[in-house]
Each structure stands twice: as C-alpha cells, then as structure tokens.
Amino acid sequence: MPTRPTAIALALWCLGAPVFAQTPGQAPATAEAPTKLRIDGGLLGVRSPIPEDEATYISADRLYGNNAEETFLEGNVEIRRKKLRLSSDAINYSPITDRATAKGNLVIEQESMLLKAPEGSVKLGTGESQMKNATFELRDIKGKGRADRMQYDGISSLTLENPNYTVCEVPNAGAADQGDWYITADSLEIDQASEVGRARGAKVVFQDVPILGVPYFSFPTSDRRKSGFLPPSFGTVSNSGLEVTVPYYLNIAPDKDLTLFPKVISGRGYQLGTQGRYLTPNNEGEIKYDFLPSDEKTGTDRSALSLLHKFEKGPFYAGVNFNQVSDDNYFVDFSRTQAVASQRVLVQEGFLSYRQKNWSANVRTVAHQTLQLFNDVIAEPYDRLPEATVELTPTRIGDANAFVSVSGQYTDFARPSSAPARVEGSRGVTRARVFMPIQRSEFSFTPALSVQSTNYDLKGQATGLPGGPSSVIPTVSLDSTVYFDRKTSFFGRKVNQTLEPRIFYLYTPFKDQSDQPIFDTTVTDQSLSRIFAENRYSGLDRVGDANQLTLAVTSRFYDEKSSEELFSVTGGQRLNLTASRVILQGFEAPTTSDSDFFANARGRISGSVFLDATTQLNAESGRHERGNISLSYAPSIGKQLNLGYRYTRAQIDQFDISGQWPISDRWSGVGRLNYSMLDNRLIEGVAGLEYGEGCWAVRVIAQRFATAPQLETTSLFVQLELTGLGRLGSNPADLLSRKVPGYTPFSTSQATQ
C-alpha cells in the first residue's frame, strides 16, 4: 500500500498526464480550463478513502510532474486542505516532505490569519511556513503589519524580523507605519495561544514620535493575564509631588497572582506597594501592603496593611478582615479619593461560622484602629473580645401557619485604651419572635410577638448603679396591607397600577433601662423604612417603648407585557399614641410629637430618565427636615448626566452634579462637582477631557477633594491608551467609574456606536 504523500504524487501525475500529454523537454500544453482535483484514496487502491477534513483540493491552469517526488503547478494555483488555503502564481509541491514552495503573489489564509509575500514555502499538513518581505493580518486581535522575514510554526506563534506592527486602521497591512501608533523592532514574536507579543530591540511610535524604546518588552494581545511589567503610570499630587510607578505583574498560577508597585514620590521618597490575590475552591483573599521608609516630609516610616480572607467548606465559614496604618494622617497624605481619605475607624476582625438549613452559630473578635485627625476627635468604639451568636432562622411550628425565630448573643466588650474611665464588661442577649403571616392575593396580615432579655456583667459601673443590670421586654406588632390594581397608562405605556395601603401597629411597654450601659447602641435616622421597625434604636442596649400606629400607602406601575416595575410612589407617617419615655442620653432629646411625614418616588419615568426622590417633613411645623433627589439622564452609552441634592436641617446642604457627554465625534467631557453650601466648601471635584481615535485614546483628569477639616488634596492624572498594546500613565477609569455613575470609557462608547 503506498504512503499518503507518494499516493498523492502518483494521483497528481496520473491524473495530470492525460490532460496535458507532453514529451520530455517540451513545455506543457496550455489548458482550456483550470484543472481541479480532489485526491481520493480510492483512485490509488487505498481501501479507506481520505477523510473529508484531510483531503487536498488543487486548482491550476497547468499541472505536470517530472517524477513521483515533485509536482509543478502553474497559473492561478490554489491548494486547499482542512482550513488552510494557499494560492500563488506557481507552486512546486513535494509529496515526500508535504511542502509547497511558491513563487509569485503567495497568499496563505487560515481561519484567523492572512499572510502574503512574493515567495515562500508552506507545509500543507501543519501550515508551518517561511516567507520574505511578507505582510500579515491577525483577524482575532486586529493586528497587522509587515516584516523582512516571517516564520509561522503552524501552531500559534508568528516570528517576525524587522517588523512594523499595529492594530490601527491603515490602507493595507504593509502600511503599518502609517498607523496612529505602531511598533518597530529587531524581532517580534506574536504568540496567539499565549495571547502575548514579545518584542526585542523595540520602539513604540505614536503620531510619528517615538515615545518608548526598550531592549525588550512584552504586551498582551487580549485581556488574558500574563507576567511582566505593566505600563508605567505617572501623576502629580499637591501634598506629595510627582509620582511615577512602574508596576510588575506576576501570574503565579491560574488562581494566584502578585503585583508589585515600586513608586517614586518626589516629595516623600521611594514607596513599594504589593497586592497579592488568590482564589481556590475553598479560599479567597487579597493582601495589600504599602511601605515608604523615612518619609521626607515627616521623617518617619509610613505603611498600610489590608488583609481580606474568606474560607468556605461545607457548612463552615471563616474569614479575616484586618486593616492597619502606621499613623493617623496616613489616608490624608496618601489617599486618592475622598471616600478613602475620610476613613476614621479601621476594622480588625476574625470570624468562624457554622451554618445549617435553619440555624447558624458564629464566633468573632473585633478590634479597631481609630484615627484622630487634628482637633476633630471622635469616640473610639468598643472592641468585641469575643462575640458569640447562635441563631434559629424563622422555622414553622408544626403544621400551623406560624413561625418562630430565636437568637442568642454573648459579647465581651473591652474599652479602648484611650478611654480608661469607660465602663466595660459582658452582655448576654436572647431574643425570640413568633409571627403568623396570612398571605392572600387581596391582602396580607401578620401579627407578631417578640421578647428580648438582656443581662450584663460590668466593671467600672458608676457609683450607685448595679454591676449586673438586666431587663426583659416584650413587643407586639400587627402589620397589614391591602392590594388594589387597575389597568392604566404611564407616560404613554400600558401599565398595571397597584394601590397598597398599609397599617402597622406597634406596642412595647416602658421599662427603665437607664442603669444599662451603651456599648453599641445609637438612635437610627428616621426614614421611610424605619417607621416600620420594631425598635427605633440600633444595637441591643436599648429597647424603645412604643404605642404607635404607622399609616402608609404605595402605588406601583408595572409594564403590562413584561411585568417589569417601572415606577413606585410611597408616603407614610408614624403616629405616637403615647409619648416615648425611654431616652438615649446624649443622643436624643425627649419628644412628644409624631414622627415626620416621609415620601419617596423612584423609577424610570422614560427610557432614558431615572428618578429617585425622598422627602421628610416635620409633622408639627411642616418644615422640610431631610431630603434627597437623584435624577439621571442616559440616552445612550457615553452620554450620562446626573443631578443630586442632599439636605438635612442644620447638618447637610449639598448638591452633586456629574456626567459624561461627547463634545464631538472625538472629544468627550467628564466631571463631577460635589459642593457643600452649608460649609461653603468643595467636597470633591473632578474634571476631565477624553479624546479617542479608532485605536487610541488620551485622558486628562484633574481632581480636588477634602481630606480633613481645612485640608484639601489636588491631583492630576494623564493617560494614553493604545488599543491592543496597553495604557501609559495613571488609570483614571476606576476613579471616574466611582465618581460618575454610568461612566463608560470614551474608547468603549465609541466602539459600541
């Protein structure tokens, strides 16, 4: 039985000879039509035919061979095998080596790659090829260019000598140096399997100006992770000076990585930051550590540590959340956002939990680091060393339509070291609740009874107060809602509208609890949801007495076809039938008035406009006590306008405007302004411009925000993004995503249009 290469040669020779009969030394006859062949094993006596996905198809104007080892194809030659297509003016094919040598307009086309050259050779079975003065197009990554010599290994790797490479739009692949940016190098390897490019003796040219020259660098051709240096970032900050960072990313394993952030800060010195991440079937975590030795401004070592770890296996859960900084002013000096700069209490927590279907147990320890800034001193919270909780989630009682839930908690409160005169000790709390929900399509009704028992064992209690105070306090509540609905229209859409009046009654008898300390309890802000709460205090040190009736009504609008909730309006008020007598000293004053009136409207009033507004009116005077409004307009990706206003009488009076909007086809503006009219002070301001072309974008972002009373930080971010290569400069995308709701990088919004 002949081998497959020999069989192919024999078939070509045998099939070609009758069509082009010739004598030795004579030129082949000119065919009237191109010869088209499919090589089949049946023609050669092979028992099983060549599979369709391995068959070779040949088309040429002329075909002849001088022996069984070589076949000549001339004129509009095309060879196809599997997903490989080869065309040229002339090809010599050797069945023994399975290699085709082409001269004149060689084109090699595969599923995601197109190679062209005046001449070259190709191994048909693998696609392995060598070419000179070649051009290439890599369709998956939009890469294109030219090279003096090019070699493809037939698997994934393309090696280029003296290439030009770009992903920008150019007239043709050979004009890569006409792209807005391109790479030129001594050699360039593009590994499509690893999705990475490796350049030696490389130079990056942007707008005909070399912006980076290095002996070696690698770059991702996709979003896949890879080890190596990341694009450098740079910026300037008012309290630190110029900052330059050259990150290095280490892809340790598919579930582990490490990033180093060596940074030069002109006004402070050298800082090394690290970030490690891991994700295994049972563990997940992140470690961050920043260290700056001998800060030139303070003369001290500055550091910050953050450790977050979670463990889960079966019913067991465990975790650590540990945060610590070297000094009180660390975030003031090094934070780049107002939210981070305003942190005052850092949590240091560890926990272990066991969970079953309807019950759970949890043990945790919680310590704190409290940052005291200048004259703005805050009270330090108690540490919990430890706290143990057992909880039975709502469980049906037999066959009755009644449920019971029970929780027990023991906490050992340790006073902060800076407050030695404060009381400390342990607290045990048990709370049981029984309720019986009755649910119908027309109404719902839920009566409930709960009892809270609290016991203390204290040290440092004030003279005359017991060392072990306790209390047992019951609470009764009745919650009912009636549902009405009708068909109507809402801003031109057919909708189903509901009307849901709700009545909630709450009774808790008065119990004097003034001999009990305050470890973790405070007065909660009044809100529309809190007027239905069974206790007006947060924490477990107080149970407020109550004889209250809450009245509210909600109307919802649902799309008639999709049943999607489009909009809702709610209004409600709590009426005090008797005056409250339990008062949290230092946090609230006695009052006999009813609760304020609350109203909320929330939803999409059109396809591009979203509204969320809440107001709180004083029940006696009718004054506006608190309110906020958020209005968003987003007609398309890359177009976003947000308007917000927050007000709390004598405490907050702020407006917040943010947005992103294209100025032209290439320019887009982005910004945010958060201003306190009560303090006549800018809380946070961000302003920037983005310019985008098809394969690059540049962003310039300025930011100013309050870091502490009477202190502000100003910073400037500049970033050049070269699509398919990376980003040079600080990355403001995360900042803008947090500060401008709905923000989309301009290059992304352009791509979707």
Side-chain angles (χ1 to χ4, degrees):
M1 180 180 295
T3 62
R4 179 160 295 173
T6 303
I8 293 174
L10 289 172
L12 289 173
W13 189 84
C14 292
L15 289 173
V19 179
F20 305 110
Q22 62 182 40
T23 59
Q26 289 182 328
T30 302
E32 296 180 358
T35 302
K36 298 182 180 180
L37 303 175
R38 179 191 187 277
I39 307 305
D40 193 293
L43 298 174
L44 309 172
V46 179
R47 293 181 180 177
S48 56
I50 298 174
E52 181 68 24
D53 61 351
E54 295 184 14
T56 302
Y57 295 85
I58 293 176
S59 173
D61 291 343
R62 295 175 295 278
L63 178 153
Y64 61 95
N66 56 11
N67 53 51
E69 297 181 356
E70 191 172 23
T71 300
F72 301 95
L73 308 169
E74 292 182 354
N76 299 312
V77 181
E78 180 178 313
I79 300 178
R80 290 188 293 115
R81 186 188 296 180
K82 297 183 180 178
K83 296 181 179 180
L84 173 68
R85 177 182 175 273
L86 177 68
S87 65
S88 180
D89 293 340
I91 292 178
N92 293 348
Y93 174 65
S94 172
I96 296 177
T97 62
D98 197 27
R99 182 171 293 275
T101 302
K103 289 186 178 181
N105 299 314
L106 171 61
V107 178
I108 303 173
E109 186 173 5
Q110 294 191 1
E111 190 172 18
S112 61
M113 184 171 62
L114 179 65
L115 310 178
K116 295 181 180 181
E119 60 183 38
S121 65
V122 185
K123 193 166 185 176
L124 296 184
T126 63
E128 176 190 342
S129 56
Q130 294 87 34
M131 310 170 75
K132 295 181 180 180
N133 299 320
T135 64
F136 60 91
E137 295 181 38
L138 308 176
R139 293 164 177 158
D140 288 346
I141 63 175
K142 298 182 180 180
K144 58 188 75 72
R146 57 150 302 278
D148 291 347
R149 300 179 70 90
M150 178 164 51
Q151 181 173 333
Y152 178 59
D153 66 357
I155 302 174
S156 66
S157 184
L158 193 67
T159 303
L160 313 166
E161 292 185 14
N162 298 319
N164 289 336
Y165 170 83
T166 188
V167 300
C168 299
E169 291 295 328
V170 291
N172 55 74
D177 56 355
Q178 297 180 27
D180 289 342
W181 70 263
Y182 64 93
I183 297 174
T184 180
D186 294 336
S187 66
L188 173 63
E189 179 188 2
I190 300 178
D191 190 336
Q192 298 182 82
S194 301
E195 298 178 348
V196 63
R198 305 178 184 92
R200 291 173 172 81
K203 182 169 59 176
V204 179
V205 181
F206 174 67
Q207 296 292 335
D208 297 326
V209 177
I211 61 173
L212 180 65
V214 290
Y216 172 84
F217 84 97
S218 62
F219 58 93
T221 59
S222 70
D223 294 331
R224 184 175 176 179
R225 304 184 312 173
K226 61 171 289 291
S227 297
F229 284 100
L230 302 177
S233 65
F234 49 87
T236 179
V237 183
S238 59
N239 61 1
S240 296
L242 179 66
E243 296 183 354
V244 179
T245 308
V246 184
Y248 184 83
Y249 178 79
L250 184 61
N251 187 22
I252 301 173
D255 57 0
K256 301 177 184 67
D257 64 10
L258 175 68
T259 308
L260 304 178
F261 298 93
K263 179 185 296 185
V264 178
I265 306 175
S266 63
R268 296 187 181 274
Y270 299 92
Q271 183 185 56
L272 177 62
T274 59
Q275 179 188 33
R277 302 181 300 176
Y278 54 92
L279 178 62
T280 67
N282 302 121
N283 295 277
E284 173 185 354
E286 180 179 56
I287 304 173
K288 295 181 181 179
Y289 181 68
D290 298 327
F291 179 68
L292 189 152
S294 301
D295 187 338
E296 295 176 7
K297 285 185 177 289
T298 65
T300 60
D301 295 345
R302 314 289 296 277
S303 63
L305 173 64
S306 174
L307 169 61
L308 183 64
H309 173 77
K310 297 178 182 179
F311 167 82
E312 178 179 350
K313 187 172 183 180
F316 290 98
Y317 297 78
V320 175
N321 181 15
F322 185 89
N323 302 275
Q324 187 177 60
V325 293
S326 57
D327 54 89
D328 290 342
N329 296 326
Y330 186 88
F331 291 127
V332 174
D333 292 339
F334 294 102
S335 65
R336 298 296 172 258
T337 65
Q338 197 275 336
V340 175
S342 62
Q343 289 186 97
R344 302 296 300 276
V345 178
L346 305 183
V347 176
Q348 301 167 350
E349 176 186 11
F351 71 90
L352 173 64
S353 298
Y354 181 83
R355 303 176 186 177
Q356 288 294 337
K357 181 178 179 181
N358 61 342
W359 70 276
S360 63
N362 178 77
V363 178
R364 67 171 183 160
T365 62
V366 183
H368 306 85
Q369 181 184 7
T370 305
L371 308 181
Q372 306 292 4
L373 302 180
F374 310 103
N375 296 322
D376 186 19
V377 178
I378 63 174
E380 298 184 49
Y382 281 90
D383 295 335
R384 301 167 186 255
L385 306 172
E387 179 176 86
T389 304
V390 178
E391 182 176 6
L392 175 69
T393 57
T395 302
R396 183 183 294 272
I397 303 174
D399 295 330
N401 186 37
F403 298 82
V404 60
S405 63
V406 181
S407 63
Q409 184 183 93
Y410 172 84
T411 308
D412 194 349
F413 291 96
R415 64 173 179 248
S417 58
S418 62
R422 289 166 67 177
V423 64
E424 63 180 352
S426 61
R427 182 188 68 195
V429 179
T430 302
R431 190 172 190 271
R433 187 171 188 264
V434 178
F435 61 99
M436 188 174 65
I438 300 173
Q439 301 283 345
R440 300 290 186 271
S441 60
E442 304 87 359
F443 70 91
S444 66
F445 180 73
T446 305
L449 169 65
S450 63
V451 178
Q452 178 171 315
S453 173
T454 309
N455 296 272
Y456 294 87
D457 184 8
L458 305 174
K459 295 183 293 184
Q461 182 79 309
T463 303
L465 296 179
S470 62
S471 61
V472 177
I473 304 173
T475 296
V476 176
S477 67
L478 301 172
D479 192 357
S480 61
T481 303
V482 181
Y483 303 96
F484 303 94
D485 66 87
R486 65 167 185 165
K487 295 184 181 298
T488 184
S489 62
F490 180 76
F491 286 92
R493 298 178 66 170
K494 293 183 178 181
V495 299
N496 291 324
Q497 180 189 8
T498 68
L499 187 67
E500 306 167 19
R502 181 180 180 184
I503 300 176
F504 178 76
Y505 176 74
L506 177 69
Y507 177 76
T508 303
F510 168 75
K511 170 68 176 179
D512 185 6
Q513 302 159 66
S514 59
D515 57 353
Q516 299 178 181
I518 299 174
F519 286 134
D520 62 358
T521 300
T522 188
V523 180
T524 58
D525 290 335
Q526 293 191 76
S527 66
L528 190 57
S529 60
R530 289 296 305 174
I531 61 177
F532 295 98
E534 294 188 354
N535 190 3
R536 63 180 180 271
Y537 300 114
S538 67
L540 299 174
D541 294 311
R542 293 290 187 276
V543 177
D545 60 318
N547 185 14
Q548 302 167 345
L549 185 65
T550 301
L551 305 176
V553 62
T554 298
S555 182
R556 308 179 196 273
F557 297 84
Y558 296 91
D559 184 84
E560 190 174 81
K561 293 182 178 179
S562 66
S563 298
E564 174 192 2
E565 183 177 324
L566 304 175
F567 201 78
S568 66
V569 180
T570 302
Q573 183 182 11
R574 184 177 61 207
L575 307 176
N576 293 322
L577 304 181
T578 58
S580 300
R581 299 170 60 187
V582 175
I583 302 299
L584 199 59
Q585 297 295 334
F587 292 89
E588 63 176 340
T591 179
T592 59
S593 66
D594 295 327
S595 77
D596 295 340
F597 175 80
F598 296 87
N600 173 261
R602 186 177 191 275
R604 193 170 298 279
I605 58 179
S606 73
S608 56
V609 179
F610 184 87
L611 172 69
D612 189 355
T614 300
T615 187
Q616 175 183 344
L617 301 176
N618 185 281
E620 295 182 349
S621 66
R623 295 183 310 182
H624 185 209
E625 295 292 336
R626 186 193 306 259
N628 65 73
I629 183 171
S630 175
L631 185 65
S632 298
Y633 174 63
S636 62
I637 295 177
K639 294 182 178 181
Q640 180 81 34
L641 294 177
N642 308 300
L643 173 64
Y645 177 73
R646 296 174 58 213
Y647 175 81
T648 301
R649 178 171 294 278
Q651 297 180 37
I652 299 173
D653 190 2
Q654 298 177 3
F655 67 84
D656 196 332
I657 302 173
S658 65
Q660 174 190 17
W661 203 265
I663 302 172
S664 67
D665 291 342
R666 299 300 180 190
W667 287 94
S668 176
V670 61
R672 180 191 181 191
L673 178 64
N674 185 9
Y675 188 84
S676 172
M677 291 179 286
L678 192 65
D679 303 319
N680 292 321
R681 186 186 186 193
L682 179 70
I683 302 301
E684 186 166 22
V686 177
L689 287 173
E690 297 181 281
Y691 179 84
E693 288 285 350
C695 62
W696 64 275
V698 63
R699 303 179 180 93
V700 180
I701 308 296
Q703 180 189 24
R704 189 174 186 179
F705 59 92
T707 54
Q710 311 306 319
L711 287 181
E712 295 178 339
T713 295
T714 302
S715 56
L716 178 68
F717 303 93
V718 180
Q719 181 188 71
L720 174 64
E721 178 181 348
L722 303 179
T723 306
L725 183 61
R727 300 179 177 94
L728 300 176
S730 299
N731 184 7
D734 292 341
L735 168 69
L736 295 175
S737 297
R738 291 192 300 268
K739 302 307 176 186
V740 181
Y743 167 78
T744 304
F746 191 42
S747 56
T748 303
S749 63
Q750 284 180 307
T752 58
Q753 293 176 357

